[in-house]
Amino acid sequence: MKLLTHNLLSSHATEVRIKSVEFNREFVTRLIPRVEWEVLLEAADHLQLVEVPKGPVEGYEQDETFLRKMHHVLLEVEVLEGTLQCPESGRMFPISHGIPNMLLSSEEAET
């Protein structure tokens, strides 16, 4: 599961890995306006990632260094084990082998 998922849910990772992904400048540039910075920075702090920008810089579209740092944190950091938590309901979803299980139990689906 890519760290990018943190835009929607908070997580508690117990195991992560770095997996190289080809840099796509245009794709990363389009992601920047959608980043929930507070959530991303909390996740990065929890994972002790040090090279994470604190927010978008002016003219980021042309800033290769900024875009590569964001590419790394959003697309190359993978959570292998842990949990995701919905900020609205508090519901916890386990992450196992990099795959979040977001299926509801039969009791939860009925409500």
Side-chain angles (χ1 to χ4, degrees), residues 51-78:
E51 293 276 331
V52 180
K54 303 302 181 207
V57 297
E58 189 172 329
Y60 69 83
E61 300 90 345
Q62 306 308 317
D63 188 332
E64 181 88 10
T65 302
F66 173 81
L67 292 174
R68 286 194 177 272
K69 286 180 180 180
M70 291 304 295
H71 163 83
H72 173 73
V73 73
L74 292 173
L75 301 171
E76 294 185 331
V77 176
E78 294 188 351

Side-chain angles (χ1 to χ4, degrees), residues 81-95:
E81 302 293 331
T83 58
L84 290 171
Q85 183 174 16
C86 175
E88 293 180 15
S89 69
R91 169 88 160 81
M92 301 290 277
F93 301 96
I95 304 166

Side-chain angles (χ1 to χ4, degrees), residues 1 10 13 17 25-26 30 35 38 42 47 49 55 59 61-62 65 67 74 79 82 88 94-96 98 111:
M1 181 201 80
S10 61
R17 75 173 169 202
R25 178 188 198 100
E26 185 179 324
R30 288 194 319 254
V35 171
E38 185 178 326
E42 180 183 326
L47 297 173
L49 301 174
E61 300 90 345
Q62 306 308 317
T65 302
L67 292 174
L74 292 173
V79 178
E88 293 180 15
I95 304 166
S96 180
T111 59

